[in-house]
Amino acid sequence: MKAKLVIAMVGLPARGKSTMARKLGRTLEQDGVRVQVFNNGKLRRQMASGASCSTADFFSPANSFGLQMREEIARQNIEAAQAFLAGEGQVAILDATNITRERRAGIMAAFAPVPLCFVECLNADEEALAANLERKAALPEFQDLPREKALENFGQRIAYYEQIYEPLSDEPNRILVDSFDSCILQEQISEVLPYYDRIRDIITTRVVRNLFLVRHGETVYNTENRIGGDSSLTPRGEEQAEALAEHFATVRIPIIFTSNHRRTLQTARPIAARQEPCSIIALPELNEIHAGVCEGLTYEEARQKMPEVARGRAADKYRYVYPGGEGYATMAERVVRGLKKVFYLGNYDENIMIVGHRAVNRMILSRFLSRQEEEIPYIYIPQDRYYHIRIDPYKRSFELVPYRSAPASWVGW
Ligand code: F6P
């Protein structure tokens, strides 16, 4: 008989549990394991009529109807998982908050003697959490509420959960995961658990299903060969954005990440308009390299006015820091931080698009390609093509794709 295991997620809402559950499920499935994720939120939305089960009140510990309903949902999913494991199923993943000891004791009792491991997701990064709440507020379940109200509602839901939150403490098999950093903070395993090494691996490995790394369309500054600034797209740039929108019209892109600069937002908007629905999330970490004293100058003007800058860059472009600005090396930390946000906010099994800039996209690519530091500031980042990046335990691919042709074989992923 094949080994069986229950994985039960634990954590407050918006801490990355579902993303982690799907990542575990999908990767184990690719390994040939029969696995299924049982998600309480999904069942709640199916069982109760839309709005009534999404309001904060539904989650109030004082709401006996809500409590009863959530217990019923948990029970149904436990039963479905038991049935799955009684048959051919090997790994059942319970995706729910499971934040009280009592609920967890019930789960352990329900599955014994099948081994069970709790995976608690934490996220101590306030900014990433705030951005995740923004993303949640845009979900269909809040479509009838204005953004502010949706945020307030979700915040109140979290506050209710915080009142009853009991972190993992004495459960025999438990892993505490930082879902923002994809790392294990603590683990306590008291028996030999099937698939355990693989599970550790999956938790800590960055998987990129489909990342489309696009550079913004042509800007006024580009045509003048000017550095930095915040200029708008030219008609040609707008046309490039439209062509990108057309190219990706049949590829599902639920979120587009941009910088705060106008040119990336202007490129992303037509793409988002062809998707239903699609949110644009602007991250300051993806802003273009700040050229300090050279901002707004043409390369030629900068060379004439400040020959030492041009010389410094030519000598060591990666380490050179613009006076009053940044260098590639000094941007690295913020770009990595931006990427962590991207992967935290993007759903693990969905396509992700980043519309960035020349220097920023070089830094992003360098996180995936093994390049010498001195080569990074020279990576080719054209405006008529994008990088399609895929990384999973089975393949690693980078493709420079022209977007005026039809999308290739990955359509429909
Ligand atoms: O497209 C122009 C630009 O994005 C500038 O704003 C930026 O300073 C530059 O490219 C980065 O490229 P390089 O480091 O090669 O000058």
Side-chain angles (χ1 to χ4, degrees), residues 374-390:
E374 52 272 29
E375 292 174 48
I376 295 171
Y378 299 98
I379 298 175
Y380 182 48
I381 309 285
Q383 273 164 321
D384 60 350
R385 269 167 259 192
Y386 62 87
Y387 280 92
H388 179 193
I389 302 167
R390 278 181 283 186

Side-chain angles (χ1 to χ4, degrees), residues 215 222 227-228 263 288-289 299 313 317 328 358-359 362:
R215 186 176 167 200
N222 290 151
I227 300 169
R263 52 199 186 274
E288 181 54 315
I289 187 170
Y299 281 92
R313 292 199 99 205
K317 192 172 171 189
Y328 280 86
R358 182 153 67 183
R362 283 174 177 153

